[in-house]
Amino acid sequence: MTDTMQSPRTGSHPTTAGHRPNSTAIIVYLSLGGLSFAVLQSLVAPALSTIGQDLGASTSATSWVLTAYLLSASVLTPILGRLGDMIGKRKVLIVVLSILLVGAVLAALAPNLGVLIVGRALQGAAGAVMPLSIGIVRDELPKEKVSVTIGLLSAIFGIGAGVGIVAAGPIVEHLSWHWLFWLPAVLVVIALLGAIFGMPESPVRKPGRLDMVGTFVLAVSLVSILLAVSEGETWGWGDGKTIGLLVLGAVALVAFVLVELRVAEPLIDVRLFAVRGVWTAHVVALVFGFAMFGTFVLVPTLLQLPSALGYGFGKDVTQAGLFLLPTVLMMIVAGPIAGILVRKVGPKPPMLLGGIAIVAAFLLPAIAHGELWQVVVSGILTGIGIGLALAACSNAIIESVPANQTGEAISANTVVRTIGSSVGTAVIAALITSHSTPQGMPTDDAFTIGFWACTGVAVLAVLAALAAPSMRARRAAAAARGIDDLEEIAE
């Protein structure tokens, strides 16, 4: 057991001596699993009104299709990530992908809103795909492939979210909303079969027991905060339920930290948050979660407003989605480039470049957004920024924590990004609502203020990246923590 816990990743599996795992196949299977989860995260949003009309549900009730997914992902990601560290990442990945498949099929067949919400809650459990996949890459792939592959997998979560927004309109228009779930289910099946038959079990473990008290307190905190953020626009930000849940969430979060500092086997080792390479990556992830979904709210809304207003572009849902294609393409390019940069100069430079790109991406339309080229250039810069920064964040974290804590550390980063996405969506939606005509049409000021708000938040990512440790400082800190399994750290 000691050898299993302490052995570094060597590129081969101890139980399959002489059989080197197929790196390319592993990357493909993990990419498909991550892509299917990320697509499902955003694919439903543009089709909510259609789904609500078809199922005879109100707008507020239909919003639970998104809320259930968000809450499930936030609560279960750290739990399943920790279980992966404990009992084996491949085992837990198979379970997670199986739940995702069941959730997708259930949602595709849903005869009513209740069943659809249950299906979406099951899909949210797959939020752990990201930390489990990055852990498997760290444990199984040759050292020279780790940073680039993690860059690709990190970018895929942004790519999938963009693809979901782009594809939703054509799918609903030419097929039906049920296909929003059938098509990703195909990807899940391939990823699941690959995990079962084409992937060795990770040898790096951190055996122990699941911290049930910490799990419960964290669940209370995350559910309270995210429910308040998700429903605040509907309930009212000054409503007692909204304020009460935010206060409960904050108190529970403090209690969670106190609990985790006292238990022998914490769900999340909160001491890791004190590591400079970790907390700076979390701040960047939080900001980019906000910025990414701020884009996905602001840009399609602006594009779909009637051109007669003088500031809209009169595009339909499908056309508006296509304008996000440059953003998606840039993520595909920038993610692996970030991984290459990490190998050569460490995570700090691509993280900083990504922060600068996202500031520029919002600054341009904040100043002027009356021409289509301004929207397109903003989208290109957004894709570059997200691809560089999110890939660098994941690499920064695995270079700062021991291999047997990869799952819990990346899980925390995933949850932080999810919170940022939820807050970003809620804040931008609130800005649009508060700056609308009596007929409910957003004013031009709504977009100007929204882009300036995202610009201000994006500056925080630049500051966090500047505060991140240099390559030399990171190597010294890693060596002190006994982290020696990565090429860019090992001498």
Side-chain angles (χ1 to χ4, degrees):
M1 181 66 74
T2 302
D3 292 340
T4 302
M5 292 171 59
Q6 302 298 332
S7 63
R9 178 190 51 74
T10 60
S12 61
H13 191 263
T15 60
T16 56
H19 298 280
R20 191 179 185 86
N22 187 324
S23 298
T24 302
I26 290 175
I27 293 170
V28 169
Y29 300 142
L30 295 178
S31 297
L32 289 176
L35 182 64
S36 59
F37 169 78
V39 167
L40 283 166
Q41 183 178 15
S42 62
L43 193 64
V44 176
L48 277 182
S49 60
T50 301
I51 293 172
Q53 291 171 9
D54 190 56
L55 297 178
S58 66
T59 301
S60 60
T62 306
S63 68
W64 275 92
V65 173
L66 296 178
T67 303
Y69 185 92
L70 175 69
L71 296 178
S72 175
S74 300
V75 172
L76 294 177
T77 294
I79 297 172
L80 293 169
R82 175 72 179 98
L83 285 174
D85 286 341
M86 288 168 53
I87 65 175
K89 301 174 184 71
R90 171 182 168 271
K91 289 187 181 72
V92 179
L93 180 64
I94 290 172
V95 172
V96 164
L97 290 174
S98 299
I99 295 172
L100 178 60
L101 180 59
V102 171
V105 172
L106 187 63
L109 297 172
N112 54 57
L113 184 62
V115 174
L116 178 57
I117 290 173
V118 171
R120 289 290 287 169
L122 291 173
Q123 292 168 32
V129 166
M130 174 74 156
L132 294 170
S133 296
I134 288 177
I136 289 170
V137 166
R138 183 178 185 178
D139 296 346
E140 294 297 337
L141 266 58
K143 294 178 180 180
E144 65 273 10
K145 292 186 177 182
V146 170
S147 59
V148 176
T149 303
I150 288 175
L152 174 64
L153 292 177
S154 301
I156 277 175
F157 278 77
I159 293 165
V163 168
I165 299 291
V166 171
I171 291 174
V172 173
E173 182 179 347
H174 297 291
L175 297 170
S176 73
W177 66 263
H178 300 277
W179 285 92
L180 297 173
F181 304 105
W182 284 124
L183 294 177
V186 175
L187 300 180
V188 180
V189 169
I190 299 172
L192 179 58
L193 292 175
I196 294 173
F197 299 108
M199 199 178 295
E201 182 55 78
S202 170
V204 180
R205 309 280 178 85
K206 186 183 179 182
R209 295 180 299 176
L210 190 64
D211 173 21
M212 299 306 297
V213 175
T215 298
F216 174 76
V217 177
L218 180 62
V220 170
S221 175
L222 292 176
V223 169
S224 299
I225 292 171
L226 292 173
L227 187 58
V229 170
S230 300
E231 299 297 322
E233 184 66 22
T234 302
W235 295 341
W237 294 106
D239 186 84
K241 294 192 294 294
T242 305
I243 296 173
L245 283 172
L246 288 173
V247 171
L248 175 61
V251 171
L253 187 60
V254 172
F256 173 73
V257 172
L258 296 176
V259 169
E260 297 304 274
L261 287 173
R262 286 166 170 75
V263 297
E265 298 174 352
L267 176 68
I268 296 175
D269 185 355
V270 295
R271 293 175 180 84
L272 293 177
F273 284 74
V275 178
R276 189 152 61 108
V278 174
W279 71 257
T280 51
H282 287 338
V283 173
V284 172
L286 180 73
V287 169
F288 272 80
F290 184 108
M292 185 165 65
F293 279 83
T295 297
F296 294 158
V297 174
L298 283 168
V299 173
T301 304
L302 177 63
L303 289 168
Q304 291 175 60
L305 286 175
S307 55
L309 292 173
Y311 51 89
F313 294 96
K315 307 298 181 182
D316 60 29
V317 175
T318 300
Q319 292 171 330
L322 290 175
F323 275 89
L324 290 175
L325 272 179
T327 304
V328 174
L329 292 175
M330 287 301 101
M331 289 183 203
I332 294 172
V333 173
I337 288 176
I340 294 171
L341 288 174
V342 167
R343 285 189 64 198
K344 295 183 178 297
V345 295
K348 182 171 182 172
M351 200 183 298
L352 180 58
L353 289 172
I356 293 171
I358 204 72
V359 169
F362 288 114
L363 184 60
L364 172 61
I367 295 172
H369 51 262
E371 302 290 337
L372 279 174
W373 71 264
Q374 294 162 338
V375 177
V376 173
V377 171
S378 173
I380 290 172
L381 290 170
T382 299
I384 293 172
I386 292 172
L388 288 174
L390 291 188
C393 281
S394 298
N395 275 294
I397 288 174
I398 69 166
E399 290 187 9
S400 303
V401 303
N404 60 11
Q405 290 185 288
T406 301
E408 62 178 290
I410 297 293
S411 293
N413 192 254
T414 303
V415 171
V416 166
R417 190 171 68 247
T418 300
I419 292 173
S421 301
S422 179
V423 172
T425 302
V427 168
I428 299 303
L431 285 173
I432 290 175
T433 301
S434 62
H435 293 80
S436 296
T437 66
Q439 293 75 33
M441 198 72 70
T443 65
D444 191 35
D445 285 345
F447 298 97
T448 300
I449 295 171
F451 286 124
W452 275 116
C454 289
T455 302
V457 171
V459 170
L460 297 177
V462 175
L463 297 176
L466 288 171
S470 66
M471 187 62 165
R472 180 176 297 179
R474 193 183 298 274
R475 286 185 175 185
R481 295 179 64 84
I483 304 168
D484 60 357
D485 65 315
L486 297 174
E487 184 186 43
E488 51 270 18
I489 293 174
E491 295 291 343

